[in-house]
Amino acid sequence: MRMRMRKNSWAQSVAGFALGLGVGVALGVLFAPMSGEDMRDYVRGTAEDAIDEATSQARRFTRRAKSAASEVIDDTVRDAIGAVDRVAEHLTDAADATAKAYEKARKASA
């Protein structure tokens, strides 16, 4: 008897699965918003739109990065030129001070 229950239980399980599968397919067909071809076109279009948007954002990011890098380079060059000018000014002052000290020492020894 126990063996018979298992067979019935198995048969009932398979029948329940098949019934559920059938109902699911029927409901899916009834309530599907679009046909398979339309769905594929929609998915393809959505994917293409996403790729286009990602490409557009990448281009915008690249433009902004180039602009920011250009500004950093310009600022760095401007700062370097300023530093060179300050060093040149200090060297000129040092050379003038050295020349004055030399003249003063020369006059003092003469």
Side-chain angles (χ1 to χ4, degrees), residues 2 46-47 70-71 91 99 104:
R2 191 167 197 198
T46 302
S70 178
E71 287 178 23
L91 290 174
K104 185 177 180 181

Side-chain angles (χ1 to χ4, degrees), residues 2-18:
R2 191 167 197 198
M3 184 65 132
R4 190 169 189 219
M5 289 178 106
R6 281 188 178 171
K7 286 183 181 179
N8 285 342
S9 177
W10 182 82
Q12 288 173 346
S13 295
V14 170
F17 176 77

Side-chain angles (χ1 to χ4, degrees), residues 3-110:
M3 184 65 132
R4 190 169 189 219
M5 289 178 106
R6 281 188 178 171
K7 286 183 181 179
N8 285 342
S9 177
W10 182 82
Q12 288 173 346
S13 295
V14 170
F17 176 77
L19 179 64
L21 182 64
V23 170
V25 168
L27 289 173
V29 168
L30 286 174
F31 292 107
M34 53 187 77
S35 71
E37 184 176 342
D38 290 342
M39 180 59 85
R40 285 188 296 276
D41 289 343
Y42 171 76
V43 169
R44 184 180 307 112
T46 302
E48 287 171 354
D49 291 345
I51 290 169
D52 291 344
E53 180 61 26
T55 303
S56 177
Q57 286 184 3
R59 285 187 181 129
R60 283 193 300 270
F61 175 77
T62 302
R63 275 195 307 273
R64 280 189 255 150
K66 284 181 180 179
S67 176
S70 178
E71 287 178 23
V72 168
I73 290 169
D74 291 346
D75 290 347
T76 303
V77 168
R78 194 173 17 261
D79 291 346
I81 290 170
V84 167
D85 289 344
R86 286 189 299 279
V87 167
E89 186 178 320
H90 289 300
L91 290 174
T92 302
D93 291 345
D96 290 345
T98 302
K100 285 179 185 177
Y102 174 76
E103 283 298 319
K104 185 177 180 181
R106 198 177 78 143
K107 284 180 183 178
S109 68

